């Protein structure tokens, strides 16, 4: 089996992870591209003792460590973009361990393989990251979801994190009206809504009015992770795990420029 065939099923997800890690689609995709080029050129090898998915993330992190060290240099921080400045406020290894387990669904032992770390160290890193992320201010959340049970589950998770749910919507029009009544600090949106309308269109109309971080929730992530058009930085796949939702919310608020201005 060719290298591309082995890695193809995992590429949309490592790209999602890279974007969550960096807070930017272009930057994240560039890191993934460099990793793939290194593999194609024989400069990096997929470890034979790892599954293809774990091995791909392992190579990605080797590239991140060798080319991303500039993000850990605190000199000249004011001249950097918002995502880079925010990255300075949480330990990189903690952020990586947290995302690998909570967002990408790796076990602590798999994350340890990816990071060349001990499993117990990974557990410690996760706890440190969660503590830093939980220090963020609470915000108002709009949930756009037409399935009542899923909407209730998301609302419960949002409240557990200390945020306030100020609106729920099941259609495009309800979502736009909800924003007009209460401006949210975060939007969680399904892409297929009750009346056949599109959550993507609803979000586009919302973003014309306000600058707000958005997390898409969908059973069909491949429809958004095509590489052919601008894509969501934060994406949750149904059926989701509670920790996945928590991780995505924390990271979306952590990286969004409007939240950075509030924290400045």
């Amino acid at each position: 089996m060719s290298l591309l065939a082995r890695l193809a099923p995992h590429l949309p997800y490592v790209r999602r992870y890279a974007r969550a890690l960096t807070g930017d689609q272009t930057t994240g995709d560039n890191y993934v591209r460099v990793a793939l080029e290194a593999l194609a050129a024989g400069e990096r090898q997929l470890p034979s003792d790892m599954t293809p998915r774990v091995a791909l993330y392992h190579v990605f992190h080797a590239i991140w460590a060798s080319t991303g060290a500039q993000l850990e240099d605190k000199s000249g921080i004011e001249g950097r973009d918002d995502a880079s400045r925010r990255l300075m406020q949480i330990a990189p290894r903690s952020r990586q361990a947290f995302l690998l387990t909570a967002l990408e669904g790796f076990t602590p032992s798999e994350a340890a393989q990816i990071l060349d770390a001990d499993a117990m160290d990974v557990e410690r890193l996760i706890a440190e990251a969660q503590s830093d992320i939980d220090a963020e201010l609470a915000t108002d959340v709009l949930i756009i979801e037409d399935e009542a049970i899923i909407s209730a589950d998301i609302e419960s998770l949002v409240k557990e994190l200390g945020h306030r749910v100020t609106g729920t919507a099941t259609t495009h029009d309800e979502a736009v009206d909800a924003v007009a009544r209460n401006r949210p600090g975060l939007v969680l949106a399904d892409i297929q809504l009750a009346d056949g309308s599109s959550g993507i269109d609803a979000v586009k109309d919302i973003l014309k009015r306000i600058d707000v971080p958005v997390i898409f929730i969908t059973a069909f992530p491949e429809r958004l992770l095509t590489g052919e058009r601008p894509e969501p930085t934060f994406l949750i796949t149904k059926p989701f795990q509670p920790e996945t939702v928590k991780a995505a919310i924390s990271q979306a608020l952590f990286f969004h420029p409007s939240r950075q201005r509030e924290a400045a």
Side-chain angles (χ1 to χ4, degrees):
M1 184 181 294
S2 69
L3 177 65
L4 179 60
R6 293 172 62 195
L7 298 182
H10 312 300
L11 291 181
Y13 303 101
V14 74
R15 291 177 59 232
R16 174 184 66 182
Y17 170 69
R19 290 196 298 276
L21 185 65
T22 63
D24 178 74
Q25 178 178 331
T26 300
T27 302
D29 285 352
N30 282 340
Y31 277 114
V32 174
R33 175 182 55 78
V34 172
L36 293 176
E37 289 176 348
L39 285 168
E43 297 170 2
R44 300 279 180 176
Q45 302 291 329
L46 294 175
S48 59
D49 60 340
M50 301 179 187
T51 65
R53 182 168 182 250
V54 171
L56 175 59
Y57 281 70
H58 177 84
V59 171
F60 168 83
H61 268 284
I63 296 296
W64 169 267
S66 63
T67 64
Q70 58 190 345
L71 296 178
E72 315 311 330
D73 178 8
K74 299 184 187 302
S75 63
I77 186 172
E78 293 302 323
R80 298 179 182 177
D81 60 27
D82 289 334
S84 295
R85 288 196 295 271
R86 291 292 286 174
L87 285 169
M88 300 303 297
Q89 299 182 33
I90 182 172
R93 295 281 283 181
S94 296
R95 185 175 67 255
Q96 293 161 17
F98 178 78
L99 284 171
L100 286 170
T101 53
L103 188 63
E104 296 303 310
F106 288 109
T107 66
S109 61
E110 288 173 329
Q113 284 185 296
I114 292 168
L115 298 175
D116 282 330
D118 180 86
M120 292 187 65
D121 287 338
V122 168
E123 296 281 7
R124 176 182 55 79
L125 290 169
I126 294 169
E128 290 175 356
Q130 187 65 67
S131 177
D132 288 341
I133 293 170
D134 286 346
E136 289 293 315
L137 296 176
T139 193
D140 294 334
V141 179
L142 169 64
I143 299 172
I144 308 173
E145 170 60 63
D146 64 330
E147 297 185 45
I149 294 178
I150 294 178
S151 180
D153 286 344
I154 295 173
E155 181 171 355
S156 177
L157 292 170
V158 165
K159 291 179 177 178
E160 185 179 331
L161 290 173
H163 306 299
R164 300 171 296 276
V165 175
T166 56
T168 58
T170 62
T171 68
H172 169 283
D173 290 345
E174 286 181 7
V176 174
D177 289 344
V179 169
R181 292 193 302 271
N182 291 292
R183 175 171 177 158
L186 174 69
V187 175
L188 293 101
D190 194 357
I191 64 173
Q192 295 180 335
L193 302 180
D195 60 352
S197 59
S198 167
I200 297 175
D201 290 340
V203 166
K204 287 180 180 178
D205 287 341
I206 289 170
L207 292 178
K208 291 177 183 177
R209 301 186 177 197
I210 61 173
D211 180 22
V212 61
V214 176
I215 300 171
F216 280 101
I217 304 174
T218 176
F220 308 101
E222 64 276 5
R223 295 182 183 178
L224 294 173
L225 298 173
T226 64
E228 298 175 355
R229 60 180 180 272
E231 301 168 348
T233 297
F234 300 99
L235 178 66
I236 297 172
T237 303
K238 294 180 179 178
F240 55 76
Q241 296 296 320
E243 291 304 319
T244 301
V245 179
K246 294 178 182 179
I249 290 173
S250 297
Q251 292 296 312
L253 293 175
F254 180 84
F255 281 117
H256 197 266
S258 66
R259 296 289 297 182
Q260 295 164 14
R261 289 192 292 271
E262 291 172 11

